[in-house]
Each structure stands twice: as C-alpha cells, then as structure tokens.
Amino acid sequence: GLLPATPPLVAGYNCLARLESCFEVGGDLYDWQVNPDGSLWIVQGDVTGKGMGAALLMSSFIASSRVLLETDRAPEAIAAHLNTIMLRSTDPVHFVTAFLGRLEPATGRLVYVNAGHPAPLLLDSRGVTALETTGPPIGMLPNLPFQVAETVLEPGALLAIFSDGIPEARRAVLDEYFEDERVVTALTGLRERPTLAEIAAGLIDEVDRFLAGEPRSDDITLTLVRRNA
C-alpha cells in the first residue's frame, strides 16, 4: 500500500512497474515523482533480507526518499543523504541497493545514480546498454561518494530496471541461475510487444518457465519506461 497505485502520465512516454513479493510482504520498492518542471524521478530499490523486517526498512527508505525528491537536488546528493538516514536506522549488514534517476522527457536525458543495484538495461537502436553501478549500496558505510552518470532515451527506446529476483532466480535442482544473459535475450525478444504490461508479463513468464515449478526465492520488481517512437 506504500507504493504508487498507478504509473505517472508523461507526454511521449509509457511507464509501468510490477512488484511480486516472495512472501506476504517484502523489501523491494519502486516509486515515481513528476516535478513541477515536468521531469520525472524514477526510483527502484531492494532491501537486504525478506519478510517483515525488510518491509519495515523499505517503508523508512521510501518515506525518506519522497521527502528528499521534493528538494529537487541532484541524484548523487539525494543518494548521499539517504545513506546517512539509513545508517541511522539500521546496522551495516542491512542496506538498500537502489536506482535513482531523473528523466527530462523533452530530450530523453536520464541522469542517475546506481547504488549497487543490478544494472538496468537500455534497449534502443544501438543495441543493449547496461547502466552499471556508480556507487555502493545505500546504508552500508558512511561518507562514501555516489557518482552520477547519464544516458539518453532516444525515440523508441525501452528502459528496464529490475531487482535481483530476476537474474538471480535459482533452479535449485541444477544449481543454475537465470542470469543477466537470459534477461537480455528475453527483453530483446519482447521489446516490440505493443504494451509494457505484455513485456513485463513475458519476462516474468520466462523466469517462471526457467524455474520449472520450483518456488521463487526472492522478490521480483520490474520498472519499464518506453519513449514513443
């Protein structure tokens, strides 16, 4: 109930987020915020652990991030402030991997911090680009720098942000993981589907087919942003 019920309305873009907890509650999160200038904050995070403890830390993180996003600071400054807040809230063995990005819809420019989160994938005319880590997870150690990076969502581009419940889905009987390569292959095959809901369902179906009936061992969160062609 803490998460946005509907995606934001941004001219020229379609947005979608889907979260499926491993248990009744979990530590994954996603969030959006449209700024007065029309730019869009995109947030996804994954708290270490599962269940109620992770959910409580997630609620603290998302409440703090919403306040900080209102200040309209740069992504790296927000990440640093969140790091200080999380260090006050928990011990160093519990932390949050997070992606904080600010999208300028008119140009497609995306400025972001990837704080130890699985690298989101940008699929466009250039192929597939991984938005690699730019800093440590939030709440792990004090006074660590968070670097900013940027890219551009060109017309027709698809941005996929996901928690490690997708690439680290494990088929225990073979001790085999879904892994990044299968994520890339699946999204490449799905990216032309008419709706983001179909893309999300297709990727999660691929994970479930891989598991072949074995239960999931982690929360799954997927955020998709597609710029109209």
Side-chain angles (χ1 to χ4, degrees):
L2 295 170
L3 304 174
T6 57
L9 297 176
V10 180
Y13 293 79
N14 290 300
C15 304
L16 177 140
R18 179 167 170 175
L19 187 154
E20 297 184 6
S21 295
C22 187
F23 302 115
E24 288 291 328
V25 294
D28 278 14
L29 64 101
Y30 64 85
D31 205 8
W32 321 89
Q33 181 167 295
V34 179
N35 300 311
D37 65 359
S39 60
L40 173 68
W41 279 109
I42 306 165
V43 179
Q44 192 181 114
D46 183 2
V47 176
T48 53
K50 302 177 186 66
M52 185 59 70
L56 289 171
L57 186 56
M58 180 276 279
S59 67
S60 173
F61 180 92
I62 201 168
S64 299
S65 69
R66 283 173 176 169
V67 172
L68 291 171
L69 294 179
E70 293 283 353
T71 66
D72 202 25
R73 299 180 186 177
E76 64 271 30
I78 291 175
H81 202 149
L82 281 169
N83 190 60
T84 300
I85 293 171
M86 290 297 103
L87 284 168
R88 293 174 186 159
S89 303
T90 185
D91 57 80
V93 299
H94 294 95
F95 50 84
V96 184
T97 68
F99 179 89
L100 307 169
R102 180 170 177 156
L103 174 67
E104 298 173 359
T107 62
R109 180 173 179 253
L110 177 69
V111 181
Y112 65 91
V113 166
N114 181 352
H117 205 62
L121 298 176
L122 179 60
L123 294 85
D124 58 19
S125 63
R126 298 165 293 184
V128 181
T129 304
L131 309 187
E132 300 289 356
T133 295
T134 65
I138 291 172
M140 179 176 283
L141 291 169
N143 303 318
L144 289 177
F146 292 91
Q147 302 298 322
V148 69
E150 66 176 83
T151 188
V152 174
L153 274 66
E154 64 180 32
L158 174 68
L159 174 66
I161 310 167
F162 44 88
S163 63
D164 60 7
I166 291 180
E168 294 182 9
R170 178 172 175 263
R171 189 159 49 188
V173 66
L174 298 175
D175 192 24
E176 185 180 10
Y177 292 86
F178 194 70
E179 296 185 341
D180 294 338
E181 185 176 344
R182 287 189 176 91
V183 181
V184 172
T185 300
L187 285 172
T188 300
L190 294 164
R191 63 170 296 194
E192 298 300 332
R193 289 196 176 182
T195 68
L196 296 185
E198 291 176 274
I199 295 174
L203 177 57
I204 293 174
D205 285 347
E206 287 288 336
V207 173
D208 287 337
R209 266 194 293 273
F210 169 80
L211 292 174
E214 292 190 35
R216 298 179 193 166
S217 58
D218 201 357
D219 305 333
I220 283 180
T221 302
L222 177 64
T223 300
L224 298 174
V225 178
R226 181 159 61 185
R227 186 176 182 182
N228 295 343

